[in-house]
Amino acid sequence: GEPGIGKTRTLQELAAVAEERGARVIWGVSYEEEGTPPFWPWVQALRSYVREVDAEILGSQMGPGAADIAELVSDVRVKLPHLEPPPAPDDPRQARFRLFDSIASFLKSASESQPLVVALEDLHWSDKPSLVLLEFIAREVARSRLLVVGTYREVEVSRQHPLSQTLAELMRTPRFRQMVLKGLDTEEVASLTQNTTGTEP
């Protein structure tokens, strides 16, 4: 949707409904400023989960991937101080794949005990590694109780924008849905007015 159309508000309402139904919601926001670390929206979301969950449960959910995730989210090592460092990779691509697989496995495991919603805001400002991780997770977690919701300004996304490629990849996954937020027409405004005030306009 366009700037100010209500993407964040809609996501907040979704999060409230999800929490009422027993899900846990974790948030990450992309920033436009230079110097933002890679994977920043994922770091925020994962860090909030790590801080809220008991260490024993966290260790069980992360399993052998905890050391890899700790390289990205330092709070993991604070919560699980006895982690051994991950083995040094021969190939950076292998290290990235191992990190992605560890995060996807963790999210699947975490959603087994409680449904999990990952809310990612302003994906039009997201870095390429974060978007590639999103693509990976979308392919890996189809059968889990995990919902990943992202918002973005369509006016910011040209054909050359990295998010365009990610959206094309996501459209190939069977459970992907895209919702465009637009302004209300006359009938919708009348319905909203009546529902809000109890008076027919």
Side-chain angles (χ1 to χ4, degrees), residues 108-125:
K108 283 192 285 187
S109 177
S111 71
E112 287 175 6
S113 58
Q114 181 181 17
L116 184 61
V117 177
V118 181
L120 302 174
E121 286 225 75
D122 295 327
L123 289 176
H124 52 279
W125 287 330

Side-chain angles (χ1 to χ4, degrees), residues 109-184:
S109 177
S111 71
E112 287 175 6
S113 58
Q114 181 181 17
L116 184 61
V117 177
V118 181
L120 302 174
E121 286 225 75
D122 295 327
L123 289 176
H124 52 279
W125 287 330
S126 197
D127 58 292
K128 181 67 175 174
S130 292
L131 296 174
V132 175
L133 176 55
L134 175 59
E135 295 169 25
F136 185 94
I137 288 174
R139 290 190 295 267
E140 293 294 312
V141 297
R143 294 182 185 88
S144 65
R145 299 196 302 168
L146 174 70
L147 174 65
V148 181
V149 186
T151 66
Y152 69 94
R153 297 177 184 173
E154 57 189 336
V155 295
E156 304 263 359
V157 182
S158 65
R159 290 182 128 185
Q160 291 74 37
H161 195 286
L163 183 54
S164 289
Q165 180 181 348
T166 294
L167 291 171
E169 290 295 324
L170 292 176
M171 286 179 187
R172 295 180 185 147
T173 61
R175 295 180 183 269
F176 173 75
R177 299 290 181 271
Q178 188 173 39
M179 180 192 310
V180 179
L181 297 185
K182 296 182 179 178
L184 304 178

Side-chain angles (χ1 to χ4, degrees), residues 8 11 26-32 36-37 39-45 119-123 125-127 130 151:
T8 297
L11 189 50
I26 55 177
W27 293 80
V29 182
S30 299
Y31 292 102
E32 188 177 20
T36 304
F39 300 109
W40 184 241
W42 291 102
V43 169
Q44 290 176 301
L120 302 174
E121 286 225 75
D122 295 327
L123 289 176
W125 287 330
S126 197
D127 58 292
S130 292
T151 66

